[in-house]
């Protein structure tokens, strides 16, 4: 296969394996996708539901069926002229539970380990207690407490002949240098035969050249254990038992000798001396910029490509790498080198490479990376913003300010959140970057008096104001694109720092890839200084990237609730809407620069399903009505608000998680309801109200309920409503913890969480079926048809815009999912296959609530792409002008390749022109009046046929096509000339 025509993303895990995917290959082929796009396939932490916690880059995940099952799937898709794309994770590995052999090697041997240079570890920590060690922040309470409680124990693994320290699921290997100490203590007391075993380890050091001796000694230990069992070692373990003061002290001294330091999980934010994925202490960053590490990380991927098993890769979290440009270029080069090894039937194919990347408006992917584009967040933002009515912005902004009690803009909230994350979550990463610059400053007479603290203050404000994820210096210097965004951050830092810090700020700016300072000595121009400056710029970039993700996606998106349909990965909630010209401009740029980029409207990381967002976008069209509805619901439900006795929260370690798999609700028991808490809608002063869920959280809850309410769910269906409430409760818990206001993952306020859950279940209780539930479902019915039109429009626009349309599993039908894990629930592909019919999608419009009309549009559009691939993969993009009284309610463009054309028309902002007498999501043709589209001159007077309906509208002699003709059967149309296959 070459460049995909379309992809379908599958989330693989032990509950949905390669063979499970294989069972549905016929459906995927019938749907029309050309490639299955698989979540990570390398071995991951056992039980992982996402695969982003790789533990072995060289092995296909056995929980997915291993390599044999992968090959079976590949054979099946190849037999149907399809291909595979694999998600790869070069930035980090999973280290939880003692499953990662590379990480265990480091814990055992420290900086002398074989893999010591594979991970991004600072072996020269300023903390003397961490020099030459790695912090292991896994303890649920302070170290001394856990040691005294007996939860840290010395164990022996007879099968491996190794001693470990165990804590819960975690295992930390004892360095073999200390084995004689352990064995001789037991030998004198009960088992003198262990003395001979101790001799095998005598004189051993941590130096690499003694690994063979250590391995042979361990083998002797293993052999002895296989003959005599583990019982002889019990005395050795008893000498380090934590239940007695003397043996506990002995265990402590043994731990102090190791190359790891066990620590309370709370220490990680301030003291961790290795780079994490975001702030997650179970994902350790790799040094993929090193050649040997790169090769080890990509061995399997390159082999599978050479064998023709996969056709390309999706690169996860490219912004975490030291130099994304250099990495992507190297990967492309390595893949190209293996092209000649691919099977003969794949001659001429080339590797397909896309990167996971999030942009600010106006930012673009550098053209020299050697990739085909991004995974589609940029398109998801563009098409979502296109469906919002800018006329509703002022009203909804004022409403949110009233409800939340805050007049701060989204940008101001972002700065606040960035400072909070830097202080509480990424302090150690910021310290590391500041130390790097401080070391450089100390070398120069002109800068040696710039203190570490001053440099850290300057870096904090630069990072707090940084408008994009990161910069991409070239040769150690900021590029012109970098400079645009860096200057904005610099201006913001100048405004917030005291004048006394401005000289330090200027020095920091020059050090981070800027122009050199006047008066620098020749030392600054040396190779060493240049490398240090490049390292400093890298460290800063590796702070701003996770900072952006944590502050925006995982904090402000749950604090700022003006309109939740704009709070999506890749979007800027501060940007309310995008006009038609802006959408065309983005498509034209993509067509010119990255015509083969993925374009998506749903992903495994989305905050809300694509159809939730499409329905919520309707609120921008009825902003005044929505404001009144919020006030009415707030008054109606005021008696159900809960008072709560807030505490400092329960101090428990965060659940093992990644940004790809954040924990859901633990199912708190609802608090007892106090009687008659009738409170006004006006928010109480201060950030933490004494009732739950609080005015801002309550307003966001109502948006969630209205946006996610499934079609067909009736208020009288108590069981169905309860199941829906459980899903929303999981979202509510995650949303409140991510907001980090009243509660958080690190310090959860159980009283607040229980009270918020109780409020939700009270307002959705069966006895409210004639009250709030009736009001809610009536309002959903009010916006559902316009929401469905938005859904069908964004579906067709994704299928036909420049790029490769990506389907997220199951979203062929309506997708009213919420944030993970809700958006990763099992998919009934059998139902979708049975719903796949040959009749035009327009025939399904009367039954639109079952979603088959959406599936039909996907199917017909993908079929057209299959029979006319060049039209969409290589064809030009031509914006078409819409004129007439309803011009703002439609968008149209043409795709052209040679003499072939496809005309795409979609309805937008439909609420005000829809008839209340109809039950289908369609604008009455008469409402379009004389609104028309100016077709390309070559199509004037020529007959066109709609791939989606029996309609055959014809442009007049001047090339005008009237929307009353083109959109008579569906709110969208995909027109082609006769002769272009429509089936």
């Amino acid at each position: 296969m070459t460049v995909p025509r379309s992809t379908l993303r599958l989330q693989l895990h032990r509950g949905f394996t390669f063979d499970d995917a294989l069972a549905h290959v016929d459906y995927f082929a019938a749907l029309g996708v050309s490639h299955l796009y698989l979540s990570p396939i390398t071995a991951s932490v056992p039980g992982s539901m996402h695969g982003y916690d790789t533990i072995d880059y060289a092995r296909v995940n056995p929980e997915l069926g291993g390599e044999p099952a992968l090959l079976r799937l590949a054979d099946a898709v190849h037999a149907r002229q399809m291909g595979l794309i694999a998600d790869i994770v070069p930035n980090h590995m999973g280290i939880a539970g003692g499953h990662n052999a590379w990480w265990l090697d480091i814990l055992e041997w420290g900086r002398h380990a074989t893999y010591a240079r594979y991970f991004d570890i600072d072996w020269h920590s300023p903390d003397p207690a961490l020099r030459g060690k790695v912090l292991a922040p896994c303890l649920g309470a302070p170290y001394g407490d856990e040691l005294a409680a007996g939860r840290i124990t010395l164990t022996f693994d007879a099968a491996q002949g190794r001693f470990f320290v165990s804590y819960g699921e975690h295992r930390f290997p004892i360095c073999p240098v200390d084995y004689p100490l352990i064995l001789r203590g037991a030998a004198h007391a009960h088992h003198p035969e262990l003395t001979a075993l101790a001799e095998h380890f005598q004189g051993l050091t941590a130096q690499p050249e003694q690994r063979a001796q250590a391995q042979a000694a361990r083998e002797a230990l293993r052999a002895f254990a296989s003959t005599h069992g583990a019982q002889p070692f019990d005395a050795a373990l008893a000498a380090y038992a934590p239940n007695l003061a003397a043996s506990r002290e002995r265990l402590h001294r043994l731990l102090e000798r190791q190359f790891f330091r066990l620590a309370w999980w709370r220490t990680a934010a301030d003291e961790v001396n290795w780079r994490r994925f975001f702030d997650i202490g179970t994902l350790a960053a790799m040094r993929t910029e090193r050649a040997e590490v790169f090769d080890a990380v990509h061995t399997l991927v390159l082999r599978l490509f050479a064998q023709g098993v996969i056709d390309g890769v999706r690169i996860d979290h490219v912004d975490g790498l030291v130099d994304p440009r250099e990495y992507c270029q190297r990967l492309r080069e390595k893949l190209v080198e293996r092209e000649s090894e691919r099977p003969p039937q794949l001659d001429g194919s080339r590797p397909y490479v896309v990167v996971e990347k999030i942009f600010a408006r106006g930012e673009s992917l550098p053209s020299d990376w050697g990739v085909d584009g991004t995974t589609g967040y940029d398109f998801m933002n563009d098409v979502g913003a296109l469906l919002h009515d800018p006329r509703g912005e002022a009203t909804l902004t004022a409403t949110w300010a009233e409800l939340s009690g805050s007049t701060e803009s989204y940008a101001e909230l972002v700065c606040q959140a960035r400072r909070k994350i830097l202080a509480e979550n990424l302090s150690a990463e910021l310290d590391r970057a500041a130390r790097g610059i401080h070391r450089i400053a100390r070398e120069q007479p002109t800068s040696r008096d710039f203190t570490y603290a001053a440099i850290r203050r300057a870096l904090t404000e630069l990072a707090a104001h940084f408008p994009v994820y990161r910069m991409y210096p070239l040769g150690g210097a900021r590029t012109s694109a970098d400079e645009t965004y860096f200057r904005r951050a610099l201006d913001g830092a100048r405004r917030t720092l005291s004048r006394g810090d401005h000289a330090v700020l200027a020095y920091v700016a020059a050090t981070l890839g800027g122009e050199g300072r006047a008066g620098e000595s020749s030392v600054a121009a040396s190779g060493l200084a240049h490398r240090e400056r490049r390292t400093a710029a890298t460290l800063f970039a590796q702070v701003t990237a996770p900072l952006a993700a944590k502050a925006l996606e995982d904090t402000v998106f749950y604090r700022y609730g003006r309109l939740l349909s704009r709070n999506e990965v890749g979007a800027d909630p501060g940007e309310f809407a995008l006009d038609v010209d802006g959408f065309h401009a983005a498509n034209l740029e993509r067509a010119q620069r990255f015509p083969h980029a993925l374009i998506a409207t749903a992903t495994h990381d989305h905050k809300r399903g694509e159809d939730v967002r499409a329905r919520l976008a309707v609120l921008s069209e009825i902003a005044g009505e929505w404001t009144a509805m919020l006030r009415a619901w707030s008054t109606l439900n005021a008696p159900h608000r809960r008072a709560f006795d807030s505490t400092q929260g329960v101090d428990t370690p965060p659940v093992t998680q990644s940004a790809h798999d954040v924990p859901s609700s633990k199912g708190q028991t609802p608090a007892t309801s106090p009687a008659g808490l009738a409170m006004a809608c006006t928010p109480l002063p201060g950030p933490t109200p004494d009732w739950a869920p609080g005015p801002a959280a309550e307003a966001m809850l109502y948006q969630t309920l209205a946006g996610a309410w499934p079609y067909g769910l009736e208020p009288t269906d108590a069981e169905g409503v309860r199941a829906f409430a459980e899903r929303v409760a999981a979202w509510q818990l995650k949303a409140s913890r991510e907001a980090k206001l009243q509660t958080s993952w690190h310090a959860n306020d159980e009283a607040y969480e229980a009270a918020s859950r109780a409020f939700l279940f009270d307002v959705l209780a069966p006895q409210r079926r004639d009250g709030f539930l009736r009001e809610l479902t009536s309002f959903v019915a009010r916006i559902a048809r316009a929401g469905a039109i938005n859904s069908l429009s964004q579906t067709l626009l994704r299928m036909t815009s420049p790029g490769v349309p990506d389907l997220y599993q199951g979203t062929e039908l309506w997708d009213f999912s919420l944030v993970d894990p809700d958006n990763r629930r099992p998919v009934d592909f059998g139902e979708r296959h049975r719903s796949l019919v040959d009749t035009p999608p327009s025939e399904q419009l009367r039954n639109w609530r079952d979603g088959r009309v959406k599936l039909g549009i996907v199917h017909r559009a993908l079929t057209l792409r299959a029979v006319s691939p060049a039209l969409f993969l290589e064809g030009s993009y031509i914006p078409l002008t819409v004129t007439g009284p309803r011009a703002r309610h439609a968008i149209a463009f043409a795709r052209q390749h040679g003499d072939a054309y496809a005309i795409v028309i979609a309805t937008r902002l439909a609420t005000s022109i829809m008839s209340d007498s109809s039950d289908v999501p369609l604008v009455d043709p008469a409402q379009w009046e004389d609104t028309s589209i100016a077709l390309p001159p070559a199509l004037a007077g020529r007959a066109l046929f709609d791939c989606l309906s029996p309609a055959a509208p014809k442009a007049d002699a001047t090339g005008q096509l009237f929307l009353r003709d083109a959109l008579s059967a569906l709110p969208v149309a995909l027109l082609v000339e006769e002769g272009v296959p429509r089936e």
Side-chain angles (χ1 to χ4, degrees):
M1 305 295 291
T2 55
V3 173
R5 296 189 316 270
S6 55
T7 61
L8 189 148
R9 167 79 180 203
L10 294 177
Q11 291 296 116
L12 302 170
H13 48 80
R14 62 185 177 185
F16 188 81
T17 66
F18 296 126
D19 285 332
D20 292 316
L22 174 62
H24 300 292
V25 166
D26 284 337
Y27 164 65
F28 303 143
L31 185 62
V33 297
S34 72
H35 284 69
L36 299 183
Y37 156 31
L38 307 178
S39 63
I41 62 175
T42 47
S44 57
V45 172
S48 174
M49 296 298 289
H50 49 78
Y52 288 98
D53 44 5
T54 300
I55 58 171
D56 187 347
Y57 282 112
R59 186 163 53 105
V60 175
N61 194 342
E63 290 195 339
L64 304 182
E67 192 162 338
L70 173 62
L71 295 179
R72 287 194 295 272
L73 176 61
D75 288 342
V77 299
H78 292 158
R80 292 159 179 81
Q81 302 303 305
M82 298 166 62
L84 297 177
I85 295 168
D87 197 343
I88 62 173
V89 193
N91 177 69
H92 55 269
M93 293 187 82
I95 59 172
H99 303 287
N100 189 320
W102 292 2
W103 189 251
L104 291 176
D105 178 51
I106 289 172
L107 297 177
E108 189 170 37
W109 298 104
R111 73 178 78 184
H112 304 294
T114 302
Y115 300 101
R117 303 181 75 183
Y118 278 47
F119 293 88
D120 194 352
I121 300 169
D122 182 4
W123 294 106
H124 305 285
S125 171
D127 181 357
L130 273 178
R131 287 175 189 160
K133 299 188 177 189
V134 293
L135 188 73
C138 65
L139 304 181
Y143 168 77
D145 294 347
E146 296 294 76
L147 189 66
R151 285 188 278 269
I152 302 172
T153 59
L154 183 65
T155 59
F156 178 69
D157 187 325
Q160 296 187 44
R162 300 172 80 178
F163 287 100
F164 289 89
V165 165
S166 296
Y167 176 82
E169 66 171 358
H170 303 283
R171 295 212 306 175
F172 301 90
I174 296 297
C175 181
V177 171
D178 292 313
Y179 279 26
L181 182 67
I182 299 171
L183 294 170
R184 285 194 178 115
H188 290 309
H190 302 285
H191 295 281
E193 65 270 26
L194 295 182
T195 299
L197 291 172
E199 291 298 325
H200 289 286
F201 295 92
Q202 192 61 41
L204 192 64
T205 70
Q207 295 302 315
E209 56 268 20
Q210 295 194 313
R211 290 294 184 278
Q213 178 187 342
Q215 181 58 34
R218 261 204 305 249
E219 179 59 29
L221 205 59
R222 191 200 63 77
F224 178 85
S226 67
T227 302
H228 297 83
Q231 190 273 335
F233 298 94
D234 289 344
L237 301 180
Y240 295 87
N243 57 323
L244 298 175
S247 55
R248 184 165 60 247
E249 176 61 23
R250 194 175 295 116
L251 175 61
H252 168 65
R253 291 198 304 269
L254 177 66
L255 288 172
E256 290 292 277
R257 291 170 54 87
Q258 304 311 304
F259 293 111
F260 56 85
R261 191 190 116 200
L262 296 181
W264 189 21
W265 66 268
R266 283 188 175 276
T267 65
D270 296 324
E271 295 186 350
V272 70
N273 62 335
W274 44 273
R275 186 164 61 87
R276 303 167 289 173
F277 174 68
F278 294 177
D279 61 344
I280 299 168
T282 55
L283 297 175
M286 306 299 296
R287 297 191 65 189
T288 318
E289 69 275 11
R290 298 184 61 84
E292 69 272 23
V293 182
F294 182 96
D295 291 342
V297 166
H298 297 91
T299 296
L300 175 65
V301 169
L302 293 172
R303 176 171 64 80
L304 293 176
F305 175 74
Q307 293 172 346
V309 177
I310 64 173
D311 299 299
V313 296
R314 177 255 199 198
I315 302 167
D316 178 67
H317 190 49
V318 72
D319 277 341
L321 303 172
V322 165
D323 187 340
R325 175 187 291 104
E326 189 275 337
Y327 168 84
C328 291
Q329 291 172 346
R330 181 186 296 185
L331 179 59
R332 169 71 72 183
E333 179 182 312
K334 294 285 188 180
L335 287 166
V336 169
E337 287 175 359
R338 306 298 293 270
E339 283 183 7
S340 61
E341 301 175 38
R342 286 167 66 77
Q345 64 270 28
L346 296 177
D347 281 351
S349 63
R350 68 173 185 81
Y352 180 71
V353 180
V354 290
V355 297
E356 183 199 31
K357 178 76 185 84
I358 293 174
F359 297 113
R361 178 64 67 192
E363 186 186 12
S364 60
L365 187 67
S367 57
D368 60 350
W369 284 18
V371 300
D372 290 285
T374 73
T375 54
Y377 291 128
D378 46 346
F379 179 84
M380 188 158 71
N381 177 35
D382 294 340
V383 75
L386 175 72
L387 302 177
H388 287 70
D389 190 342
R391 298 176 183 180
E393 180 174 8
T395 298
L396 292 179
T397 301
T399 299
W400 175 250
E402 174 190 344
L403 288 172
S404 65
S406 171
T407 59
E408 293 170 308
S409 68
Y410 172 74
E412 290 169 330
L413 291 175
V414 167
C415 270
Q416 292 176 13
R418 284 174 178 268
R419 293 190 184 99
K420 181 180 180 66
I421 296 299
L422 284 171
E424 299 179 9
N425 299 76
L426 300 175
S427 179
E429 287 78 1
L430 180 65
D431 284 346
R432 188 177 179 187
R435 287 198 306 271
I437 297 177
H438 187 232
R439 282 195 298 270
I440 300 171
R442 294 292 294 271
E443 296 297 322
Q444 301 302 315
T446 56
S447 57
R448 72 177 189 179
D449 288 336
F450 291 158
T451 66
Y452 164 79
I455 289 171
R456 194 181 192 278
R457 287 195 299 271
L459 274 180
T460 297
E461 291 307 305
L462 276 174
H465 290 91
F466 213 72
V468 293
Y469 267 57
R470 61 168 287 174
M471 56 185 183
Y472 306 98
L474 189 59
R478 294 195 293 268
T479 66
S480 58
D482 293 334
E483 197 64 30
T484 298
Y485 299 108
F486 192 89
R487 287 293 167 186
R488 286 168 56 184
L490 191 60
D491 291 343
R494 284 198 191 101
R495 289 193 302 270
T496 52
L497 283 169
S498 67
R499 292 184 63 84
D501 281 334
H502 283 192
V504 177
L505 178 64
Y507 177 81
V508 169
T511 304
L512 294 176
E515 296 179 0
R517 287 169 50 87
E520 284 186 340
S521 73
S522 59
V523 176
S526 69
L528 177 61
H530 180 68
R531 286 195 300 273
E532 288 179 340
R533 286 160 64 98
R534 291 187 64 170
T535 299
T538 294
L539 291 174
F540 180 68
Q542 290 177 326
V543 169
T544 60
L547 175 62
K550 292 299 296 180
L552 277 66
E553 300 170 33
D554 295 343
T555 304
V556 184
F557 279 14
Y558 295 97
R559 292 183 176 185
Y560 183 73
R562 177 175 65 179
L563 191 54
L564 295 183
S565 47
R566 294 299 296 136
N567 293 21
E568 190 50 78
V569 181
D572 177 359
E575 178 188 69
F576 190 79
L578 183 68
D579 61 22
V580 169
D581 289 342
F583 182 79
H584 284 320
N587 267 352
L588 283 167
E589 181 180 6
R590 189 178 303 107
Q592 179 182 9
R593 300 187 68 241
F594 295 102
H596 301 144
L598 288 182
I599 51 177
T601 51
T603 75
H604 61 286
D605 278 335
H606 66 232
K607 304 298 184 185
R608 288 163 192 84
E610 58 186 27
D611 300 315
V612 177
R613 300 194 306 272
R615 183 188 288 173
L616 288 178
V618 177
L619 303 183
S620 68
E621 303 177 59
I622 56 170
E625 182 180 342
W626 172 244
T627 295
M629 188 61 65
L630 275 178
R631 291 193 176 108
W633 289 352
S634 181
T635 300
L636 178 64
N637 290 325
H640 308 299
R641 293 172 180 158
R642 294 293 210 274
F644 62 95
D645 181 13
S646 182
T647 66
Q648 295 301 309
V650 179
D651 189 20
T652 58
V655 179
T656 297
Q657 58 176 303
S658 80
H660 308 280
D661 188 25
V662 183
S664 58
S665 171
K666 294 181 181 178
Q668 289 84 352
T669 303
T672 302
S673 173
L677 279 177
M679 296 187 177
C681 182
T682 305
L684 300 180
T688 54
D690 58 3
W691 56 270
E698 184 178 344
M700 288 191 279
L701 173 62
Y702 292 142
Q703 289 188 57
T704 302
L705 293 174
W709 188 270
Y711 292 126
L713 179 58
E714 298 294 334
T716 54
D717 180 0
E719 184 178 343
V721 172
R722 174 80 187 188
F724 175 67
E726 289 288 356
R727 290 178 50 220
V728 175
W731 165 84
Q732 182 186 52
L733 178 66
K734 180 169 183 174
S736 61
R737 289 185 176 182
E738 296 285 22
K740 305 172 187 67
L741 293 172
Q742 183 64 42
T743 186
S744 70
W745 294 110
H746 288 178
N748 52 303
D749 186 333
E750 290 188 344
Y752 171 79
E753 292 172 0
S756 296
R757 177 182 169 91
F759 174 82
L760 167 63
F761 278 85
D762 264 2
V763 302
L764 295 182
Q767 58 266 37
R768 242 66 72 190
R769 66 184 56 167
D770 294 324
F772 174 67
L773 274 174
R774 182 181 62 190
E775 294 291 329
L776 172 63
T777 52
S778 294
F779 183 76
V780 170
R782 161 83 172 93
I783 64 174
R785 288 186 301 136
I789 288 177
N790 282 344
S791 292
L792 299 181
S793 292
Q794 76 176 357
T795 296
L796 183 62
L797 293 174
R798 169 168 48 101
M799 292 292 114
T800 55
S801 289
V804 176
D806 174 45
L807 284 165
Y808 179 62
Q809 59 177 28
T811 59
E812 310 93 287
L813 296 179
W814 299 128
D815 174 30
F816 291 106
S817 64
L818 298 170
V819 72
D820 63 277
D822 192 62
N823 63 8
R824 304 179 193 180
R825 286 175 293 156
V827 177
D828 188 345
F829 288 113
E831 176 195 7
R832 285 154 179 79
H833 200 174
R834 291 187 296 272
S835 298
L836 203 58
V837 295
D838 292 331
T839 54
S842 58
E843 295 189 11
Q844 305 296 332
L845 191 62
R846 61 184 179 274
N847 303 313
W848 60 277
R849 289 178 179 84
D850 63 18
R852 287 184 292 169
V853 62
K854 181 184 178 186
L855 174 63
I857 290 173
V858 170
H859 179 213
R860 286 295 180 97
L862 291 180
T863 299
L864 179 60
R865 294 184 70 100
V867 296
S868 302
L871 180 60
F872 294 97
L873 287 177
E874 303 171 21
S876 58
Y877 178 89
I878 307 171
L880 300 180
T881 301
V882 184
T883 58
R886 307 299 192 195
R888 71 185 297 264
H889 299 283
I891 181 172
F893 56 82
R895 303 301 307 275
Q896 177 193 6
H897 187 261
D899 294 331
Y901 284 87
I903 305 299
V904 179
I905 310 171
T907 305
R908 62 188 289 265
L909 312 181
T911 303
S912 62
I913 59 173
M914 292 179 66
S915 170
D916 292 335
S917 62
S918 173
D919 184 51
V920 296
L922 181 69
V923 174
D924 189 313
Q927 287 292 323
W928 290 109
E929 300 181 17
D930 290 333
T931 306
S932 65
I933 299 168
L935 294 182
L939 296 179
R942 290 157 67 172
L944 298 172
F945 300 87
D946 190 0
C947 293
L948 310 178
S949 77
K954 183 177 181 180
D956 64 19
T958 65
Q960 296 298 308
L961 178 66
F962 291 96
L963 292 188
R964 60 175 178 260
D965 299 324
L967 299 179
S968 61
L970 279 174
V972 295
L974 177 56
L975 308 178
V976 296
E977 290 189 88
E978 188 171 13
V980 176
R982 295 185 288 154
E983 295 278 341

